[in-house]
Amino acid sequence: MSERTAELKAPVALPALNAKVAAAVDSGLFQLLRGALGEEAARAAFARVQVVPSLLRPAGERVSRAELAQALNMALFLDVTDRVPMAAAYVADLQRDGQQLVFDHGALRTVAWPSGALPPGEAAITRVLRPLGFAMAATYPLPRLKMTGRAWRHADFPEDIAQFFVSELHPERFSGSFQGAVTRVLSTSRDPLTPADLAMLEHLARDGDLPAAAAVALLPKLVGCFARQHALFEADDYQLMLTESAEMAWIATEGNAFNHATDRVADIEAVVAAQRALDRPVKDSIETSATGRVRQTAFKAARVMREFLDRGQRVMLEVPGSFHEFIQRAPLDESGALDLAFDAGNATGIFKMTAGAAKDADTTGEATAC
């Protein structure tokens, strides 16, 4: 059983939570976050997300790939709580009770199609994940969605550094008019990484660590990869894509941002009961994997305002945003190692959370997995 899983069993009081944050200040991980994002963001990240002691080495001249991976995950989780009101409210409740959450995985979407200056599909993301120590753990075909999902797990801390579930949409499986809209939308994509950034990632892949100053400079650039890289586009193209793929329409407005972040909980039924008692929009059902070891549910997706073009004029439309998910993982066997897998059939269901208001309301009995 991992250090993090064991700590789930013992919620801490608020003074102890504050003490944990204070105790982390001299760690390399805290110094990395503070140097890259500022003192306030670093303290907020440590107050919200549980970090195992082995990732809290004293600050030194170099930063390991695991520390940089954990810092990236914590920064991306802060981004989700900024964009998803229910995530922010849930995290605030935990903090009032003196608790931190266990970040299990983040999910994002890509498009396997020419994308301007950006590498197509998951390559735009995996070029970051590999040097950080992540390796592909499994592939999950999603034929109903005309997508493929892949789980990326950290080689050094598989249970304790959040996984990435990276999906690719395949436009060649859709109509010609759909492909035309995708081409128009993605053609303006920029690459957030410079040649110098890519060279630094190569050094990280080779050496397994970086000088502390280089890691501080690189982290904001890595965070910037998990965003929308293309320019404003016509609302008509959005509607055209939406008729064939709600997933592509979501990518068009949100890009490679986290579609959702997931809290690993010890008792998912208790969590759901508590959120329903607060009248929060949690899904009606708790889904269970075929193995019975993985149980999941989620808040309904946030609604967000996004800017479009309408014959060259700027307009604002309400569209689905991101959401917050909960997962309970049981051990694989008597060793205590957790079942870290996902499920292709279940993964299809969770995508309905961002399919639009009508579909969001009709998810009873649909499975969630990623």
Side-chain angles (χ1 to χ4, degrees):
M1 182 179 296
S2 72
E3 298 168 74
R4 176 181 285 184
T5 306
E7 288 187 18
L8 276 174
K9 299 179 179 179
V12 294
L14 185 56
L17 174 56
N18 292 335
K20 277 191 171 185
V21 176
V25 167
D26 293 328
S27 69
L29 179 57
F30 189 96
Q31 297 295 327
L32 173 58
L33 280 167
R34 179 165 63 184
L37 306 180
E39 178 82 21
E40 183 178 355
R43 287 187 174 273
F46 271 85
R48 297 174 193 180
V49 178
Q50 190 178 113
V51 182
V52 294
S54 1
L55 284 167
L56 296 175
R57 303 186 311 164
E61 295 182 356
R62 300 188 72 84
V63 171
S64 72
R65 67 181 190 177
E67 289 169 311
L68 194 50
Q70 178 67 14
L72 174 63
N73 281 351
M74 294 171 81
L76 292 175
F77 185 81
L78 287 181
D79 175 62
V80 170
T81 55
D82 286 344
R83 294 185 291 108
V84 180
M86 283 300 99
Y90 172 75
V91 168
D93 289 347
L94 289 181
Q95 290 182 282
R96 281 191 293 270
D97 293 337
Q99 299 181 48
Q100 300 154 302
L101 64 77
V102 177
F103 186 15
D104 182 86
H105 69 274
L108 63 136
R109 299 169 176 178
T110 67
V111 188
W113 200 250
S115 301
L118 192 69
E122 70 165 17
I125 300 300
T126 58
R127 63 180 177 161
V128 170
L129 298 183
R130 283 192 177 96
L132 290 173
F134 291 91
M136 192 180 71
T139 298
Y140 300 93
L142 307 170
R144 285 175 52 195
L145 302 174
K146 302 177 183 178
M147 301 179 79
T148 301
R150 296 178 181 90
W152 289 78
R153 190 176 301 163
H154 204 272
D156 306 330
F157 293 87
E159 289 191 11
D160 299 315
I161 292 178
Q163 295 185 77
F164 285 78
F165 191 94
V166 184
S167 58
E168 275 187 325
L169 184 131
H170 304 290
E172 71 277 6
R173 303 179 189 176
F174 293 86
S175 71
S177 58
F178 178 94
Q179 293 172 28
V182 171
T183 297
R184 288 189 292 274
V185 169
L186 297 184
S187 64
T188 60
S189 296
R190 55 177 287 274
D191 190 343
L193 297 180
T194 66
D197 299 327
L198 295 170
M200 197 62 63
L201 284 169
E202 288 184 10
H203 293 160
L204 178 62
R206 180 193 66 200
D207 300 335
D209 60 13
L210 287 174
V216 167
L218 183 61
L219 178 57
K221 304 300 291 291
L222 302 185
V223 172
C225 293
F226 297 82
R228 185 175 122 182
Q229 311 300 344
H230 52 269
L232 287 179
F233 56 94
E234 290 287 337
D236 283 351
D237 278 337
Y238 176 81
Q239 295 298 332
L240 193 159
M241 291 183 291
L242 184 60
T243 59
E244 295 191 41
S245 171
E247 291 68 41
M248 183 62 226
W250 192 94
I251 297 167
T253 63
E254 309 306 300
N256 303 131
F258 269 179
N259 172 259
H260 63 271
T262 304
D263 179 14
R264 187 189 303 163
V265 300
D267 185 344
I268 197 167
E269 291 183 350
V271 170
V272 168
Q275 297 309 304
R276 286 179 180 157
L278 293 169
D279 291 325
R280 289 179 180 160
V282 67
K283 263 175 55 70
D284 295 330
S285 57
I286 298 174
E287 279 69 52
T288 302
S289 66
T291 65
R293 291 189 293 265
V294 181
R295 307 185 68 204
Q296 295 162 267
T297 194
F299 287 127
K300 304 295 175 65
R303 303 293 296 182
V304 296
M305 298 300 296
R306 293 291 182 258
E307 192 172 27
F308 296 83
L309 295 175
D310 183 4
R311 276 67 172 178
Q313 299 297 312
R314 292 172 180 258
V315 298
M316 299 295 292
L317 297 175
E318 185 182 76
V319 298
S322 299
F323 62 96
H324 184 86
E325 187 185 18
F326 306 97
I327 190 167
Q328 179 179 332
R329 294 187 182 274
L332 282 166
D333 49 41
E334 62 277 1
S335 72
L338 292 181
D339 185 347
L340 297 174
F342 299 95
D343 180 274
N346 290 352
T348 301
I350 195 63
F351 280 72
K352 285 195 174 184
M353 300 304 291
T354 53
K359 291 183 180 179
D360 286 347
D362 182 24
T363 55
T364 304
E366 292 289 349
T368 65
C370 62

